[in-house]
Amino acid sequence: MASKLLRAVILGPPGSGKGTVCQRIAKNFGLQHLSSGVFLRQNIRSNTDVGVLAKQYLEQGQLVPDHLITRVMLTELEKMQNQHWLLDGFPRTLAQAEAINKICDIDLVISLNIPFETLKDRLNTRWIHPPSGRVYNLEFNPPLVHGIDDVTGEKLIQHEDDKPDAVVSRLRQYKDVAKPVIELYKSRGVLHTFSGTETNKIWPYIYTLLSTKITPVHPEDTSQAFRAEEQ
């Protein structure tokens, strides 16, 4: 097995279960989970130059522009030169993917392909704790107390763009922006797509793929999950 450092990316629309998959990959394989959302929040809380600018865009309901998010992420990647890592939420656009390409080669891209109706249902029941980014789903990952964050006891909110009217346009927008990024990584032979409606059923296949690239630090018995899938 190669000893070179693994550079991985996870792609998927809002509600696709990226966060759950990233947590499992980080735990089982020891990859550093690098979330663009987490780094943006850190910059905003710390009032960095990038954070101040990013906050202005977000307060106006706009996406943070490519050049700002790229600056944040490339700064973080410079600190991770001697570690395996997994990018989450970046690259979101072709310009961002090309910016990464200038500093390193991506070895593996995991793309989550979840049916539109499943995404819609998940987003409509999703609630968030804004300061930490913790996500709850009323159907399969509810908070212990309805509307309250498990850790801090603070109130949860539902994003405006998770409400039914906004979800459809949000998912269409993601599809349009993601398509060229997916095509780029497909053309390079590093794209692996996983389809399904349940993260627990997709996970064993992702685990098996990653096991061919890097030795698990916490090996997991996925045979039971595969047997359940076959029944």
Side-chain angles (χ1 to χ4, degrees):
M1 190 162 298
S3 60
K4 90 183 267 292
L5 292 168
L6 184 66
R7 307 301 190 211
V9 168
I10 187 163
L11 302 174
S16 61
K18 282 202 308 290
T20 302
V21 171
C22 287
Q23 285 170 4
R24 291 184 184 184
I25 290 173
K27 178 187 165 194
N28 285 277
F29 294 94
L31 272 69
Q32 290 293 321
H33 173 201
L34 308 179
S35 163
S36 59
V38 167
F39 292 133
L40 260 185
R41 283 192 292 275
Q42 287 174 354
N43 274 271
I44 289 169
R45 276 201 300 271
S46 303
N47 268 330
T48 64
D49 292 346
V50 171
V52 170
L53 288 169
K55 188 177 181 183
Q56 290 171 2
Y57 284 99
L58 293 171
E59 284 176 344
Q60 292 165 20
Q62 297 175 14
L63 291 171
V64 177
D66 282 342
H67 70 276
L68 277 186
I69 192 70
T70 298
R71 193 166 138 201
V72 168
M73 295 308 289
L74 295 190
T75 300
E76 295 300 329
L77 291 180
E78 279 176 19
K79 303 173 191 172
M80 300 283 170
Q81 290 179 3
N82 300 314
Q83 297 182 59
H84 302 286
W85 47 249
L86 171 68
L87 285 172
D88 168 15
F90 183 88
R92 190 178 47 79
T93 66
L94 192 57
Q96 292 173 10
E98 287 167 347
I100 298 180
N101 192 43
K102 288 175 183 170
I103 64 160
C104 68
D105 292 325
I106 298 298
D107 308 305
L108 172 67
V109 178
I110 294 165
S111 177
L112 302 179
N113 181 31
I114 313 297
F116 187 79
E117 286 303 315
T118 302
L119 294 171
K120 223 163 62 166
D121 291 344
R122 285 183 185 177
L123 289 171
N124 289 342
T125 55
R126 186 164 84 159
W127 290 75
I128 306 217
H129 178 242
S132 68
R134 270 186 291 279
V135 177
Y136 297 88
N137 188 288
L138 299 186
E139 291 185 359
F140 58 83
N141 176 37
L144 296 172
V145 178
H146 182 72
I148 300 296
D149 177 50
D150 289 352
V151 179
T152 64
E154 294 168 346
K155 283 190 176 180
L156 302 175
I157 65 158
Q158 186 173 40
H159 277 326
E160 288 298 321
D161 51 9
D162 282 346
K163 293 178 180 174
D165 293 347
V167 163
V168 174
S169 62
R170 188 178 172 202
L171 291 175
R172 286 204 181 114
Q173 183 189 33
Y174 170 83
K175 192 175 177 184
D176 292 343
V177 172
K179 191 176 178 184
V181 178
I182 288 169
E183 290 300 322
L184 173 71
Y185 289 129
K186 188 176 178 182
S187 71
R188 292 188 179 158
V190 295
L191 181 78
H192 297 264
T193 300
F194 298 89
S195 303
T197 58
E198 294 178 43
T199 302
N200 284 341
K201 289 186 177 178
I202 295 172
W203 169 246
Y205 297 94
I206 296 174
Y207 179 91
T208 301
L209 169 67
L210 274 158
S211 297
T212 67
K213 309 283 184 187
I214 184 172
T215 305
V217 290
H218 294 292
E220 190 174 285
D221 180 11
T222 55
S223 58
Q224 195 173 347
F226 280 121
R227 283 197 294 273
E229 184 84 348
E230 289 162 5
Q231 287 171 3

